[in-house]
């Protein structure tokens, strides 16, 4: 009788431990899914830059260099356009006041 009670107690402990471990596993799976969703979102945001990096011959893993080059290209293109627009606006204002 004592052995049966002892085995029942061991089975109850094993069942409780299994339940705790199952809950822990479920929490880890939820955390893993959340992290994978964040990773997919980050990859989607970096996708166009990675594509441009490959077009320029930069390794896709060197995202920082690709971002710097893209920023430099935007500045090189947009700053002269901004200066031209400012000059055109000034000339237009001078022409209207004459």
């Amino acid at each position: 009788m004592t052995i049966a009670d002892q085995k029942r107690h061991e089975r109850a402990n094993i069942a409780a431990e299994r339940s705790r471990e199952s809950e822990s596993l479920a929490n880890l799976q939820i955390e893993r899914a959340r992290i994978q969703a964040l990773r997919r979102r980050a990859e989607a945001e970096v996708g166009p830059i990675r594509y441009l990096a490959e077009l320029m011959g930069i390794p896709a893993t060197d995202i920082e260099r690709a971002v710097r080059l893209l920023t430099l290209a935007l500045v090189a293109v947009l700053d002269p356009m901004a200066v031209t627009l400012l000059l055109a606006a000034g000339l237009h204002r001078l022409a209207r006041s004459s």
Side-chain angles (χ1 to χ4, degrees):
M1 204 55 152
T2 306
I3 295 173
D5 287 339
Q6 185 180 14
K7 293 294 180 184
R8 212 171 314 148
H9 185 14
E10 286 177 10
R11 281 193 300 270
N13 287 341
I14 290 171
E17 183 179 351
R18 183 177 182 197
S19 176
R20 284 191 305 270
E21 295 300 326
S22 294
E23 186 177 327
S24 176
L25 177 62
N27 289 337
L28 288 173
Q29 288 173 337
I30 290 169
E31 183 68 17
R32 179 179 180 220
R34 187 183 68 77
I35 290 170
Q36 285 177 341
L38 289 172
R39 191 187 89 225
R40 282 192 302 271
R41 187 180 311 146
E43 285 177 355
E45 290 175 0
V46 175
I49 294 173
R50 184 173 283 167
Y51 175 74
L52 288 173
E54 289 177 7
L55 281 177
M56 292 187 284
I58 300 170
T61 56
D62 194 6
I63 300 297
E64 185 176 331
R65 184 172 169 207
V67 168
R68 276 190 262 130
L69 286 175
L70 180 62
T71 304
L72 180 64
L74 287 173
V75 167
V77 169
L78 296 179
D79 274 354
M81 289 177 69
V83 170
T84 304
L85 286 172
L86 288 172
L87 289 174
L91 290 175
H92 180 69
R93 190 173 278 175
L94 284 174
R96 285 183 66 199
S97 64
S98 311

